[in-house]
Amino acid sequence: MVVLDFPKKKKIKMFMSYSRITMTSSAAFLVIMGMVFSFFPQEILSDLVQEPTTALILIFQLLGAVYIGFGVMNWMLKNTKIGGIYARPLILGNFAHFFIGGLSILRVIMTGEVGSNIFFLILGLYILFISLFGRLIFVESN
């Protein structure tokens, strides 16, 4: 009996674990950000503006809901085959969010209007997720 060993299986296993790590870590990050924005909008806004208005608090809570929803979606799809044509809308949505959000954070940091180091940490995490989702879109699209 001849047993055929296909080397592509190992690549698929590594690819699946890479996408799983990417989806799980982004889900955790987004849910944590969503919970912070949902439950502590006044505390966050008091560091950014002098007097947070009710409208700003509501906007932050709605933003937190979006983050939680996006994180739950990533968590629920972490076990699916992702990359290339598989789950492309999900990957493009994540990439667009982190890319556009990263550019926005970078623009605010470059103006020098914020004095908090937390923006640098968040920018670093956004850059990490841009590279992770970019690899799933552009490198793993065989």
Side-chain angles (χ1 to χ4, degrees):
M1 175 179 258
V2 177
V3 177
L4 297 175
D5 184 29
F6 296 104
K8 289 185 179 182
K9 285 187 177 181
K10 288 185 179 180
K11 183 177 181 181
I12 290 172
K13 284 185 180 178
M14 288 191 314
F15 174 65
M16 294 284 283
S17 67
Y18 174 79
S19 65
R20 185 179 218 182
I21 290 169
T22 301
M23 295 303 288
T24 303
S25 60
S26 68
F29 173 71
L30 290 170
V31 168
I32 290 169
M33 289 284 289
M35 287 184 172
V36 168
F37 284 174
S38 292
F39 297 120
F40 304 109
Q42 240 171 339
E43 289 79 1
I44 295 169
L45 286 169
S46 65
D47 287 341
L48 299 175
V49 295
Q50 288 179 347
E51 270 191 49
T53 63
T54 306
L56 277 176
I57 292 171
L58 177 64
I59 289 170
F60 260 62
Q61 288 175 330
L62 291 174
L63 179 64
V66 170
Y67 273 135
I68 291 172
F70 216 3
V72 168
M73 184 174 57
N74 286 351
W75 180 260
M76 296 299 288
L77 295 173
K78 72 181 184 311
N79 292 325
T80 61
K81 189 172 185 176
I82 295 174
I85 61 170
Y86 301 106
R88 193 161 186 86
L90 175 72
I91 301 302
L92 284 172
N94 275 292
F95 181 78
H97 164 253
F98 286 111
F99 186 76
I100 296 166
L103 287 177
S104 299
I105 295 168
L106 181 64
R107 182 180 52 84
V108 170
I109 289 174
M110 296 295 280
T111 61
E113 293 177 12
V114 294
S116 177
N117 289 333
I118 192 73
F119 287 99
F120 290 103
L121 175 66
I122 293 173
L123 178 63
L125 290 170
Y126 266 66
I127 290 171
L128 172 69
F129 287 120
I130 290 168
S131 62
L132 293 174
F133 284 110
R135 179 178 171 193
L136 283 174
I137 293 172
F138 302 114
V139 176
E140 301 291 344
S141 60
N142 299 354

PDB file of all heavy atoms in Angstrom, residues 24-53:
ATOM      1  N   THR A  24      -9.098  35.609  16.333  1.00  0.00           N
ATOM      2  CA  THR A  24      -9.296  35.567  17.782  1.00  0.00           C
ATOM      3  C   THR A  24      -8.723  36.813  18.452  1.00  0.00           C
ATOM      4  O   THR A  24      -9.374  37.419  19.309  1.00  0.00           O
ATOM      5  CB  THR A  24      -8.647  34.304  18.371  1.00  0.00           C
ATOM      6  OG1 THR A  24      -9.196  33.145  17.720  1.00  0.00           O
ATOM      7  CG2 THR A  24      -8.890  34.189  19.855  1.00  0.00           C
ATOM      8  N   SER A  25      -7.521  37.208  18.059  1.00  0.00           N
ATOM      9  CA  SER A  25      -6.915  38.375  18.687  1.00  0.00           C
ATOM     10  C   SER A  25      -7.657  39.659  18.322  1.00  0.00           C
ATOM     11  O   SER A  25      -7.856  40.527  19.175  1.00  0.00           O
ATOM     12  CB  SER A  25      -5.435  38.483  18.314  1.00  0.00           C
ATOM     13  OG  SER A  25      -5.285  38.608  16.915  1.00  0.00           O
ATOM     14  N   SER A  26      -8.113  39.766  17.088  1.00  0.00           N
ATOM     15  CA  SER A  26      -8.872  40.966  16.718  1.00  0.00           C
ATOM     16  C   SER A  26     -10.227  40.980  17.410  1.00  0.00           C
ATOM     17  O   SER A  26     -10.711  42.052  17.808  1.00  0.00           O
ATOM     18  CB  SER A  26      -9.047  41.058  15.203  1.00  0.00           C
ATOM     19  OG  SER A  26      -9.899  40.039  14.728  1.00  0.00           O
ATOM     20  N   ALA A  27     -10.843  39.811  17.580  1.00  0.00           N
ATOM     21  CA  ALA A  27     -12.125  39.746  18.294  1.00  0.00           C
ATOM     22  C   ALA A  27     -11.954  40.200  19.737  1.00  0.00           C
ATOM     23  O   ALA A  27     -12.757  40.991  20.247  1.00  0.00           O
ATOM     24  CB  ALA A  27     -12.690  38.327  18.240  1.00  0.00           C
ATOM     25  N   ALA A  28     -10.907  39.727  20.387  1.00  0.00           N
ATOM     26  CA  ALA A  28     -10.670  40.121  21.776  1.00  0.00           C
ATOM     27  C   ALA A  28     -10.419  41.619  21.884  1.00  0.00           C
ATOM     28  O   ALA A  28     -10.981  42.297  22.748  1.00  0.00           O
ATOM     29  CB  ALA A  28      -9.482  39.344  22.345  1.00  0.00           C
ATOM     30  N   PHE A  29      -9.604  42.162  20.980  1.00  0.00           N
ATOM     31  CA  PHE A  29      -9.306  43.595  20.997  1.00  0.00           C
ATOM     32  C   PHE A  29     -10.573  44.423  20.777  1.00  0.00           C
ATOM     33  O   PHE A  29     -10.831  45.384  21.506  1.00  0.00           O
ATOM     34  CB  PHE A  29      -8.267  43.921  19.923  1.00  0.00           C
ATOM     35  CG  PHE A  29      -8.016  45.386  19.735  1.00  0.00           C
ATOM     36  CD1 PHE A  29      -7.334  46.112  20.699  1.00  0.00           C
ATOM     37  CD2 PHE A  29      -8.455  46.042  18.597  1.00  0.00           C
ATOM     38  CE1 PHE A  29      -7.098  47.470  20.522  1.00  0.00           C
ATOM     39  CE2 PHE A  29      -8.223  47.392  18.418  1.00  0.00           C
ATOM     40  CZ  PHE A  29      -7.547  48.105  19.385  1.00  0.00           C
ATOM     41  N   LEU A  30     -11.369  44.040  19.790  1.00  0.00           N
ATOM     42  CA  LEU A  30     -12.569  44.816  19.483  1.00  0.00           C
ATOM     43  C   LEU A  30     -13.607  44.738  20.590  1.00  0.00           C
ATOM     44  O   LEU A  30     -14.255  45.741  20.915  1.00  0.00           O
ATOM     45  CB  LEU A  30     -13.163  44.343  18.158  1.00  0.00           C
ATOM     46  CG  LEU A  30     -12.338  44.691  16.913  1.00  0.00           C
ATOM     47  CD1 LEU A  30     -12.883  43.974  15.686  1.00  0.00           C
ATOM     48  CD2 LEU A  30     -12.309  46.187  16.692  1.00  0.00           C
ATOM     49  N   VAL A  31     -13.783  43.572  21.186  1.00  0.00           N
ATOM     50  CA  VAL A  31     -14.765  43.446  22.277  1.00  0.00           C
ATOM     51  C   VAL A  31     -14.316  44.246  23.501  1.00  0.00           C
ATOM     52  O   VAL A  31     -15.133  44.918  24.142  1.00  0.00           O
ATOM     53  CB  VAL A  31     -15.020  41.961  22.618  1.00  0.00           C
ATOM     54  CG1 VAL A  31     -15.784  41.815  23.914  1.00  0.00           C
ATOM     55  CG2 VAL A  31     -15.784  41.285  21.484  1.00  0.00           C
ATOM     56  N   ILE A  32     -13.040  44.199  23.819  1.00  0.00           N
ATOM     57  CA  ILE A  32     -12.538  44.982  24.956  1.00  0.00           C
ATOM     58  C   ILE A  32     -12.724  46.474  24.698  1.00  0.00           C
ATOM     59  O   ILE A  32     -13.210  47.211  25.567  1.00  0.00           O
ATOM     60  CB  ILE A  32     -11.062  44.640  25.250  1.00  0.00           C
ATOM     61  CG1 ILE A  32     -10.957  43.232  25.830  1.00  0.00           C
ATOM     62  CG2 ILE A  32     -10.434  45.659  26.193  1.00  0.00           C
ATOM     63  CD1 ILE A  32      -9.547  42.680  25.913  1.00  0.00           C
ATOM     64  N   MET A  33     -12.369  46.930  23.490  1.00  0.00           N
ATOM     65  CA  MET A  33     -12.574  48.346  23.145  1.00  0.00           C
ATOM     66  C   MET A  33     -14.053  48.703  23.207  1.00  0.00           C
ATOM     67  O   MET A  33     -14.424  49.768  23.689  1.00  0.00           O
ATOM     68  CB  MET A  33     -12.033  48.638  21.739  1.00  0.00           C
ATOM     69  CG  MET A  33     -10.534  48.608  21.638  1.00  0.00           C
ATOM     70  SD  MET A  33      -9.755  50.065  22.335  1.00  0.00           S
ATOM     71  CE  MET A  33     -10.201  51.277  21.131  1.00  0.00           C
ATOM     72  N   GLY A  34     -14.909  47.801  22.727  1.00  0.00           N
ATOM     73  CA  GLY A  34     -16.342  48.050  22.753  1.00  0.00           C
ATOM     74  C   GLY A  34     -16.891  48.152  24.157  1.00  0.00           C
ATOM     75  O   GLY A  34     -17.734  49.010  24.451  1.00  0.00           O
ATOM     76  N   MET A  35     -16.429  47.290  25.032  1.00  0.00           N
ATOM     77  CA  MET A  35     -16.893  47.351  26.421  1.00  0.00           C
ATOM     78  C   MET A  35     -16.426  48.631  27.114  1.00  0.00           C
ATOM     79  O   MET A  35     -17.185  49.238  27.863  1.00  0.00           O
ATOM     80  CB  MET A  35     -16.422  46.122  27.188  1.00  0.00           C
ATOM     81  CG  MET A  35     -17.155  44.875  26.811  1.00  0.00           C
ATOM     82  SD  MET A  35     -16.613  43.504  27.838  1.00  0.00           S
ATOM     83  CE  MET A  35     -17.778  42.271  27.358  1.00  0.00           C
ATOM     84  N   VAL A  36     -15.195  49.031  26.846  1.00  0.00           N
ATOM     85  CA  VAL A  36     -14.688  50.266  27.443  1.00  0.00           C
ATOM     86  C   VAL A  36     -15.510  51.451  26.944  1.00  0.00           C
ATOM     87  O   VAL A  36     -15.931  52.304  27.735  1.00  0.00           O
ATOM     88  CB  VAL A  36     -13.186  50.447  27.126  1.00  0.00           C
ATOM     89  CG1 VAL A  36     -12.713  51.837  27.481  1.00  0.00           C
ATOM     90  CG2 VAL A  36     -12.363  49.399  27.868  1.00  0.00           C
ATOM     91  N   PHE A  37     -15.762  51.516  25.640  1.00  0.00           N
ATOM     92  CA  PHE A  37     -16.543  52.628  25.094  1.00  0.00           C
ATOM     93  C   PHE A  37     -17.992  52.589  25.552  1.00  0.00           C
ATOM     94  O   PHE A  37     -18.607  53.634  25.730  1.00  0.00           O
ATOM     95  CB  PHE A  37     -16.489  52.634  23.568  1.00  0.00           C
ATOM     96  CG  PHE A  37     -15.203  53.152  22.993  1.00  0.00           C
ATOM     97  CD1 PHE A  37     -14.969  53.107  21.641  1.00  0.00           C
ATOM     98  CD2 PHE A  37     -14.211  53.683  23.800  1.00  0.00           C
ATOM     99  CE1 PHE A  37     -13.796  53.586  21.100  1.00  0.00           C
ATOM    100  CE2 PHE A  37     -13.027  54.164  23.279  1.00  0.00           C
ATOM    101  CZ  PHE A  37     -12.822  54.112  21.914  1.00  0.00           C
ATOM    102  N   SER A  38     -18.548  51.404  25.728  1.00  0.00           N
ATOM    103  CA  SER A  38     -19.955  51.295  26.126  1.00  0.00           C
ATOM    104  C   SER A  38     -20.172  51.625  27.594  1.00  0.00           C
ATOM    105  O   SER A  38     -21.159  52.267  27.949  1.00  0.00           O
ATOM    106  CB  SER A  38     -20.472  49.882  25.853  1.00  0.00           C
ATOM    107  OG  SER A  38     -20.539  49.638  24.479  1.00  0.00           O
ATOM    108  N   PHE A  39     -19.262  51.155  28.452  1.00  0.00           N
ATOM    109  CA  PHE A  39     -19.487  51.282  29.884  1.00  0.00           C
ATOM    110  C   PHE A  39     -18.776  52.465  30.535  1.00  0.00           C
ATOM    111  O   PHE A  39     -19.133  52.855  31.641  1.00  0.00           O
ATOM    112  CB  PHE A  39     -19.099  49.988  30.591  1.00  0.00           C
ATOM    113  CG  PHE A  39     -19.936  48.816  30.166  1.00  0.00           C
ATOM    114  CD1 PHE A  39     -19.350  47.707  29.590  1.00  0.00           C
ATOM    115  CD2 PHE A  39     -21.307  48.829  30.315  1.00  0.00           C
ATOM    116  CE1 PHE A  39     -20.119  46.620  29.192  1.00  0.00           C
ATOM    117  CE2 PHE A  39     -22.094  47.758  29.928  1.00  0.00           C
ATOM    118  CZ  PHE A  39     -21.488  46.653  29.355  1.00  0.00           C
ATOM    119  N   PHE A  40     -17.769  53.025  29.875  1.00  0.00           N
ATOM    120  CA  PHE A  40     -17.023  54.130  30.457  1.00  0.00           C
ATOM    121  C   PHE A  40     -16.894  55.325  29.510  1.00  0.00           C
ATOM    122  O   PHE A  40     -15.816  55.922  29.399  1.00  0.00           O
ATOM    123  CB  PHE A  40     -15.616  53.674  30.884  1.00  0.00           C
ATOM    124  CG  PHE A  40     -15.616  52.516  31.827  1.00  0.00           C
ATOM    125  CD1 PHE A  40     -15.203  51.264  31.406  1.00  0.00           C
ATOM    126  CD2 PHE A  40     -16.052  52.673  33.134  1.00  0.00           C
ATOM    127  CE1 PHE A  40     -15.209  50.186  32.271  1.00  0.00           C
ATOM    128  CE2 PHE A  40     -16.057  51.595  34.012  1.00  0.00           C
ATOM    129  CZ  PHE A  40     -15.648  50.348  33.571  1.00  0.00           C
ATOM    130  N   PRO A  41     -17.956  55.723  28.831  1.00  0.00           N
ATOM    131  CA  PRO A  41     -17.803  56.840  27.885  1.00  0.00           C
ATOM    132  C   PRO A  41     -17.521  58.172  28.575  1.00  0.00           C
ATOM    133  O   PRO A  41     -16.749  58.982  28.054  1.00  0.00           O
ATOM    134  CB  PRO A  41     -19.144  56.870  27.156  1.00  0.00           C
ATOM    135  CG  PRO A  41     -20.107  56.278  28.118  1.00  0.00           C
ATOM    136  CD  PRO A  41     -19.326  55.235  28.878  1.00  0.00           C
ATOM    137  N   GLN A  42     -18.123  58.385  29.738  1.00  0.00           N
ATOM    138  CA  GLN A  42     -17.906  59.652  30.435  1.00  0.00           C
ATOM    139  C   GLN A  42     -16.459  59.795  30.903  1.00  0.00           C
ATOM    140  O   GLN A  42     -15.876  60.877  30.810  1.00  0.00           O
ATOM    141  CB  GLN A  42     -18.859  59.769  31.626  1.00  0.00           C
ATOM    142  CG  GLN A  42     -19.752  60.946  31.512  1.00  0.00           C
ATOM    143  CD  GLN A  42     -20.843  60.935  32.573  1.00  0.00           C
ATOM    144  OE1 GLN A  42     -21.174  59.900  33.133  1.00  0.00           O
ATOM    145  NE2 GLN A  42     -21.379  62.095  32.831  1.00  0.00           N
ATOM    146  N   GLU A  43     -15.894  58.711  31.397  1.00  0.00           N
ATOM    147  CA  GLU A  43     -14.516  58.755  31.880  1.00  0.00           C
ATOM    148  C   GLU A  43     -13.545  59.013  30.732  1.00  0.00           C
ATOM    149  O   GLU A  43     -12.575  59.766  30.876  1.00  0.00           O
ATOM    150  CB  GLU A  43     -14.161  57.445  32.587  1.00  0.00           C
ATOM    151  CG  GLU A  43     -14.854  57.262  33.925  1.00  0.00           C
ATOM    152  CD  GLU A  43     -16.303  56.788  33.818  1.00  0.00           C
ATOM    153  OE1 GLU A  43     -16.806  56.566  32.697  1.00  0.00           O
ATOM    154  OE2 GLU A  43     -16.945  56.649  34.874  1.00  0.00           O
ATOM    155  N   ILE A  44     -13.794  58.382  29.589  1.00  0.00           N
ATOM    156  CA  ILE A  44     -12.925  58.586  28.432  1.00  0.00           C
ATOM    157  C   ILE A  44     -13.051  60.017  27.929  1.00  0.00           C
ATOM    158  O   ILE A  44     -12.055  60.697  27.671  1.00  0.00           O
ATOM    159  CB  ILE A  44     -13.274  57.589  27.308  1.00  0.00           C
ATOM    160  CG1 ILE A  44     -12.986  56.163  27.761  1.00  0.00           C
ATOM    161  CG2 ILE A  44     -12.478  57.899  26.047  1.00  0.00           C
ATOM    162  CD1 ILE A  44     -13.537  55.116  26.831  1.00  0.00           C
ATOM    163  N   LEU A  45     -14.282  60.465  27.784  1.00  0.00           N
ATOM    164  CA  LEU A  45     -14.509  61.804  27.244  1.00  0.00           C
ATOM    165  C   LEU A  45     -14.020  62.901  28.182  1.00  0.00           C
ATOM    166  O   LEU A  45     -13.612  63.960  27.718  1.00  0.00           O
ATOM    167  CB  LEU A  45     -15.993  61.995  26.934  1.00  0.00           C
ATOM    168  CG  LEU A  45     -16.484  61.262  25.687  1.00  0.00           C
ATOM    169  CD1 LEU A  45     -17.994  61.285  25.612  1.00  0.00           C
ATOM    170  CD2 LEU A  45     -15.864  61.871  24.444  1.00  0.00           C
ATOM    171  N   SER A  46     -14.054  62.663  29.479  1.00  0.00           N
ATOM    172  CA  SER A  46     -13.574  63.695  30.407  1.00  0.00           C
ATOM    173  C   SER A  46     -12.066  63.920  30.257  1.00  0.00           C
ATOM    174  O   SER A  46     -11.571  64.993  30.567  1.00  0.00           O
ATOM    175  CB  SER A  46     -13.924  63.335  31.849  1.00  0.00           C
ATOM    176  OG  SER A  46     -13.237  62.171  32.240  1.00  0.00           O
ATOM    177  N   ASP A  47     -11.337  62.907  29.780  1.00  0.00           N
ATOM    178  CA  ASP A  47      -9.913  63.090  29.501  1.00  0.00           C
ATOM    179  C   ASP A  47      -9.678  63.800  28.177  1.00  0.00           C
ATOM    180  O   ASP A  47      -8.634  64.414  27.976  1.00  0.00           O
ATOM    181  CB  ASP A  47      -9.196  61.737  29.475  1.00  0.00           C
ATOM    182  CG  ASP A  47      -9.045  61.138  30.856  1.00  0.00           C
ATOM    183  OD1 ASP A  47      -9.153  61.898  31.842  1.00  0.00           O
ATOM    184  OD2 ASP A  47      -8.818  59.917  30.955  1.00  0.00           O
ATOM    185  N   LEU A  48     -10.654  63.708  27.259  1.00  0.00           N
ATOM    186  CA  LEU A  48     -10.467  64.287  25.926  1.00  0.00           C
ATOM    187  C   LEU A  48     -11.035  65.696  25.789  1.00  0.00           C
ATOM    188  O   LEU A  48     -10.465  66.528  25.092  1.00  0.00           O
ATOM    189  CB  LEU A  48     -11.114  63.374  24.872  1.00  0.00           C
ATOM    190  CG  LEU A  48     -10.560  61.949  24.781  1.00  0.00           C
ATOM    191  CD1 LEU A  48     -11.363  61.137  23.789  1.00  0.00           C
ATOM    192  CD2 LEU A  48      -9.100  61.975  24.393  1.00  0.00           C
ATOM    193  N   VAL A  49     -12.184  65.932  26.395  1.00  0.00           N
ATOM    194  CA  VAL A  49     -12.823  67.253  26.316  1.00  0.00           C
ATOM    195  C   VAL A  49     -13.126  67.729  27.729  1.00  0.00           C
ATOM    196  O   VAL A  49     -13.189  66.943  28.662  1.00  0.00           O
ATOM    197  CB  VAL A  49     -14.127  67.219  25.472  1.00  0.00           C
ATOM    198  CG1 VAL A  49     -13.821  66.891  24.036  1.00  0.00           C
ATOM    199  CG2 VAL A  49     -15.129  66.250  26.032  1.00  0.00           C
ATOM    200  N   GLN A  50     -13.379  69.025  27.871  1.00  0.00           N
ATOM    201  CA  GLN A  50     -13.617  69.559  29.209  1.00  0.00           C
ATOM    202  C   GLN A  50     -14.942  69.096  29.779  1.00  0.00           C
ATOM    203  O   GLN A  50     -15.004  68.624  30.904  1.00  0.00           O
ATOM    204  CB  GLN A  50     -13.550  71.082  29.175  1.00  0.00           C
ATOM    205  CG  GLN A  50     -12.146  71.583  28.982  1.00  0.00           C
ATOM    206  CD  GLN A  50     -12.085  73.097  28.935  1.00  0.00           C
ATOM    207  OE1 GLN A  50     -13.101  73.762  28.814  1.00  0.00           O
ATOM    208  NE2 GLN A  50     -10.884  73.634  29.027  1.00  0.00           N
ATOM    209  N   GLU A  51     -16.005  69.248  29.023  1.00  0.00           N
ATOM    210  CA  GLU A  51     -17.318  68.817  29.500  1.00  0.00           C
ATOM    211  C   GLU A  51     -17.977  67.933  28.461  1.00  0.00           C
ATOM    212  O   GLU A  51     -18.414  68.409  27.419  1.00  0.00           O
ATOM    213  CB  GLU A  51     -18.215  70.026  29.776  1.00  0.00           C
ATOM    214  CG  GLU A  51     -18.098  70.541  31.179  1.00  0.00           C
ATOM    215  CD  GLU A  51     -19.179  71.557  31.482  1.00  0.00           C
ATOM    216  OE1 GLU A  51     -20.358  71.268  31.206  1.00  0.00           O
ATOM    217  OE2 GLU A  51     -18.821  72.618  31.989  1.00  0.00           O
ATOM    218  N   PRO A  52     -18.052  66.612  28.703  1.00  0.00           N
ATOM    219  CA  PRO A  52     -18.700  65.737  27.725  1.00  0.00           C
ATOM    220  C   PRO A  52     -20.214  65.989  27.690  1.00  0.00           C
ATOM    221  O   PRO A  52     -20.862  66.073  28.722  1.00  0.00           O
ATOM    222  CB  PRO A  52     -18.382  64.332  28.216  1.00  0.00           C
ATOM    223  CG  PRO A  52     -17.933  64.478  29.614  1.00  0.00           C
ATOM    224  CD  PRO A  52     -17.484  65.884  29.816  1.00  0.00           C
ATOM    225  N   THR A  53     -20.737  66.127  26.493  1.00  0.00           N
ATOM    226  CA  THR A  53     -22.172  66.339  26.332  1.00  0.00           C
ATOM    227  C   THR A  53     -22.883  64.993  26.256  1.00  0.00           C
ATOM    228  O   THR A  53     -22.254  63.953  26.054  1.00  0.00           O
ATOM    229  CB  THR A  53     -22.470  67.146  25.063  1.00  0.00           C
ATOM    230  OG1 THR A  53     -22.032  66.381  23.930  1.00  0.00           O
ATOM    231  CG2 THR A  53     -21.768  68.486  25.085  1.00  0.00           C
TER     232      THR A  53
END
